[in-house]
Amino acid sequence: ETGVTQTPRHLVMGMTNKKSLKCEQHLGHNAMYWYKQSAKKPLELMFVYNFKEQTENNSVPSRFSPECPNSSHLFLHLHTLQPEDSALYLCASSQTSGRSEQYFGPGTRLTVT
Amino acid sequence: AQSVTQLGSHVSVSEGALVLLRCNYSSSVPPYLFWYVQYPNQGLQLLLKYTSAATLVKGINGFEAEFKKSETSFHLTKPSAHMSDAAEYFCAVSETGGYQKVTFGIGTKLQVIP
């Protein structure tokens, strides 16, 4: 595997379910990110982790719970979601140097019913 | 505070015609600027980035962008559009480089007409 991978690619869940999204980066990066992409809205940064430590929580509801066990893996635990949480969830990674860019995974298309 | 504005949520060009996608930014410090492309059912892929070196930046797939400080612009161009260029394009700005907080524009969908 190369780059940034995300599983599952598609997820349908009910509002009472608990599920998790997984992201893995094979680039040796130290920073990882979760973004939410909804139609007709700018990409929304949700969480940032640097060296496994959370450094940004962009006022995300507590029904989204991130976990970063090491610099290569990032999870997003989901519980009691709302229909408006349906979106494409993108994971990204980068080096922590100032000139680096972010590398994105293909995303998980989440539908909350 | 940093922000980015992309003018035109949809742009249509004929195959072989010039592609021009507009981006204006706001930043309190010299910015890092990026253009990303997103094809259907895929994540974002970096096209090019400006990091205070040359003001004309060349990227992949024949795209380039010019940083104009006086106009606070970073427009994306390609001399001749190809059908495979149909995608959504995102301009992004960061005051801290590519990590931490990057602010993305709303995106411009490019349609290429045969």
Side-chain angles (χ1 to χ4, degrees):
Chain A
E1 292 275 18
T2 58
V4 181
T5 58
Q6 290 186 245
T7 54
R9 293 294 309 277
H10 300 272
L11 178 62
V12 179
M13 59 186 289
M15 288 190 284
T16 58
N17 290 159
K18 287 185 181 181
K19 296 286 185 183
S20 296
L21 310 185
K22 179 183 176 182
C23 174
E24 184 174 0
Q25 58 96 0
H26 308 267
L27 301 167
H29 290 162
N30 298 312
M32 296 189 77
Y33 313 77
W34 279 117
Y35 287 91
K36 177 183 179 182
Q37 187 177 32
S38 306
K40 300 182 181 177
K41 285 187 176 182
L43 210 58
E44 297 174 50
L45 178 66
M46 300 174 72
F47 301 104
V48 181
Y49 278 81
N50 283 300
F51 294 95
K52 303 188 297 178
E53 299 298 320
Q54 188 180 121
T55 54
E56 178 113 8
N57 177 336
N58 204 21
S59 303
V60 180
S62 60
R63 57 185 183 270
F64 294 91
S65 175
E67 178 190 0
C68 188
N70 54 61
S71 292
S72 298
H73 293 86
L74 185 64
F75 296 89
L76 189 62
H77 304 299
L78 316 171
H79 63 99
T80 59
L81 294 191
Q82 304 299 311
E84 60 265 28
D85 297 323
S86 299
L88 183 68
Y89 288 84
L90 292 165
C91 174
S93 70
S94 75
Q95 292 288 17
T96 50
S97 62
R99 294 173 183 267
S100 63
E101 63 272 17
Q102 294 182 13
Y103 290 77
F104 285 80
T108 294
R109 174 68 62 186
L110 174 67
T111 303
V112 181
T113 61
Chain B
Q2 60 192 34
S3 67
V4 63
T5 302
Q6 290 185 243
L7 295 175
S9 58
H10 289 80
V11 170
S12 293
V13 300
S14 298
E15 191 175 15
L18 171 72
V19 176
L20 170 61
L21 303 182
R22 300 179 186 274
C23 173
N24 288 90
Y25 69 90
S26 171
S27 175
S28 57
V29 299
Y32 296 84
L33 294 160
F34 307 85
W35 274 101
Y36 286 85
V37 60
Q38 185 177 31
Y39 298 101
N41 301 314
Q42 294 187 29
L44 278 68
Q45 177 185 4
L46 182 73
L47 272 180
L48 50 81
K49 64 181 179 182
Y50 168 76
T51 58
S52 77
T55 56
L56 182 63
V57 182
K58 294 189 183 298
I60 61 172
N61 302 339
F63 284 93
E64 62 182 36
E66 186 172 8
F67 172 70
K68 291 187 176 180
K69 184 178 178 181
S70 61
E71 298 176 10
T72 60
S73 69
F74 191 58
H75 301 330
L76 182 70
T77 61
K78 181 174 180 177
S80 176
H82 192 271
M83 296 299 295
S84 61
D85 295 326
E88 191 158 18
Y89 292 80
F90 295 88
C91 182
V93 63
S94 175
E95 295 178 348
T96 59
Y99 91 103
Q100 293 291 33
K101 195 167 180 64
V102 176
T103 300
F104 287 83
I106 201 163
T108 299
K109 277 194 178 168
L110 176 66
Q111 180 187 20
V112 181
I113 303 166

